[in-house]
Amino acid sequence: MKIDLGCLAKGYSADKVATFLKENGVTSALINLGGNILTIGNNQSKDDRPWQIGIQDPNHPRGNHLMTLSITGKSVVTSGIYERHLEIDGKDYHHIFDSETGYPIETDLASLTIISDRSVDGEIWTTRLFGQRSASIMWQIENIDGIEAILIDKDGHIACSSGIQR
């Protein structure tokens, strides 16, 4: 077993990289730390359009997207139970643990994506909210300025907070 600070370290690191790049005159960049994307400006290689960030379909192999977001100067952080998991005797075990039991959290969610200005905020909110009921997650997100969310349940149903254009 190995326990690390991955839940916050990637967000913190992405924000630090973005600060460094901006201080050195970079006006367009995509920082990808695996499940954690942070953009600076628009995509200059695509006629200065927003970056296109795919939201993975958790029920299909990597590269199959349920939706694509147009993102400029924002972070997109996704936590999910569909990549790092294993099945033993018909029971699926994933890497997101319940702090009370120490076992993988019981949830109907397959993935939770947070869109925010700072990447560390996305990491905090995906960690804090993952495993709660969808209605509770949406209520909380709708009451936080500058944070949006996309929830995908195990059956592939999508719920988006009010600030996300479908």
Side-chain angles (χ1 to χ4, degrees):
M1 177 188 292
K2 179 178 166 184
I3 297 176
D4 62 30
L5 299 175
C7 68
L8 294 177
K10 286 194 291 184
Y12 175 81
S13 298
D15 290 336
K16 288 294 190 186
V17 169
T19 298
F20 173 80
L21 293 174
K22 289 175 188 176
E23 287 173 350
N24 285 281
V26 174
T27 59
S28 175
L30 184 137
I31 302 161
N32 182 349
L33 300 181
N36 183 310
I37 303 285
L38 181 58
T39 66
I40 298 171
N42 282 327
N43 184 346
Q44 292 180 352
S45 68
K46 298 287 184 181
D47 299 325
D48 204 33
R49 294 184 192 161
W51 296 94
Q52 302 300 299
I53 310 299
I55 302 300
Q56 175 66 38
D57 183 338
N59 295 313
H60 289 90
R62 186 181 283 238
N64 289 279
H65 301 126
L66 285 174
M67 63 183 358
T68 302
L69 304 175
S70 293
I71 299 292
T72 299
K74 297 274 186 188
S75 172
V76 180
V77 175
T78 300
S79 288
I81 62 171
Y82 55 93
E83 286 202 0
R84 289 187 270 172
H85 66 101
L86 66 121
E87 187 176 315
I88 300 173
D89 297 328
K91 177 139 175 76
D92 194 56
Y93 296 90
H94 56 78
H95 74 289
I96 302 174
F97 295 117
D98 184 319
S99 62
E100 293 180 17
T101 67
Y103 285 95
I105 200 159
E106 298 285 334
T107 182
D108 290 332
L109 278 184
S111 75
L112 169 60
T113 299
I114 298 291
I115 298 96
S116 58
D117 290 331
R118 295 183 327 146
S119 195
V120 73
D121 292 337
E123 297 286 1
I124 289 168
W125 285 104
T126 57
T127 300
R128 183 172 183 199
L129 296 173
F130 203 96
Q132 294 184 23
R133 291 180 304 110
S134 295
S136 176
I137 292 171
M138 281 303 180
W139 182 85
Q140 290 177 71
I141 292 298
E142 294 295 350
N143 287 289
I144 303 168
D145 289 334
I147 304 280
E148 300 298 336
I150 301 167
L151 287 69
I152 305 171
D153 69 17
K154 291 177 181 175
D155 294 324
H157 299 111
I158 303 170
C160 298
S161 59
S162 61
I164 295 180
Q165 302 297 318
R166 298 283 315 258

